Amino acid sequence: MNTKIKPERAEILRLRARIVAVERATLAALELVLLLKPKELEAFLESRRKELSQNYLDETFAMDLVDPAERDFVAEEVERLMRALQSEMDFKGGVSTPESG
């Protein structure tokens, strides 16, 4: 481990690396499902997008988010990122974002 990195920064970097690894594994799995069952995947992603963005607005979901502004922020981010994923897969309802990777 690089000793030039502060422990608290290393933890943030580990979390970032974990998110990237999970994201890439998820995308690989989605690509496989896209080949096998594209219509079902499209319907599944659309239903999950709606469900997740609404769930974050409910104070009994993700109870560690006690600030309403943070809860709204996360709900909006979930909506935006799920629509970006749908766009990347050329599904209706998708909205592209300037991000990549």
Side-chain angles (χ1 to χ4, degrees):
M1 184 166 150
N2 189 337
T3 57
K4 294 180 183 180
I5 297 174
K6 294 179 183 180
E8 57 275 0
R9 182 69 178 151
E11 185 61 26
I12 290 171
L13 294 174
R14 278 190 202 97
L15 289 171
R16 183 176 182 168
R18 181 178 288 181
I19 289 168
V20 169
V22 169
E23 180 182 73
R24 294 299 165 207
T26 302
L27 286 174
L30 288 173
E31 288 175 6
L32 179 62
V33 175
L34 182 61
L35 293 172
L36 300 174
K37 296 189 174 204
K39 298 282 186 211
E40 291 85 345
L41 178 59
E42 183 173 16
F44 176 76
L45 288 176
E46 179 65 10
S47 71
R48 291 303 293 160
R49 178 191 61 76
K50 289 177 181 177
E51 184 180 331
L52 279 172
S53 61
Q54 288 302 307
N55 281 348
Y56 274 104
L57 296 175
D58 182 351
E59 62 188 33
T60 62
F61 185 80
M63 293 173 30
D64 60 315
L65 293 175
V66 293
D67 182 341
E70 287 182 2
R71 190 171 284 287
D72 288 343
F73 177 83
V74 173
E76 289 172 9
E77 279 297 289
V78 167
E79 177 76 14
R80 185 179 70 78
L81 293 168
M82 289 294 289
R83 284 198 183 271
L85 177 62
Q86 289 172 296
S87 174
E88 191 174 317
M89 300 185 119
D90 293 325
F91 290 152
K92 64 182 177 196
V95 177
S96 63
T97 64
E99 302 164 326
S100 63

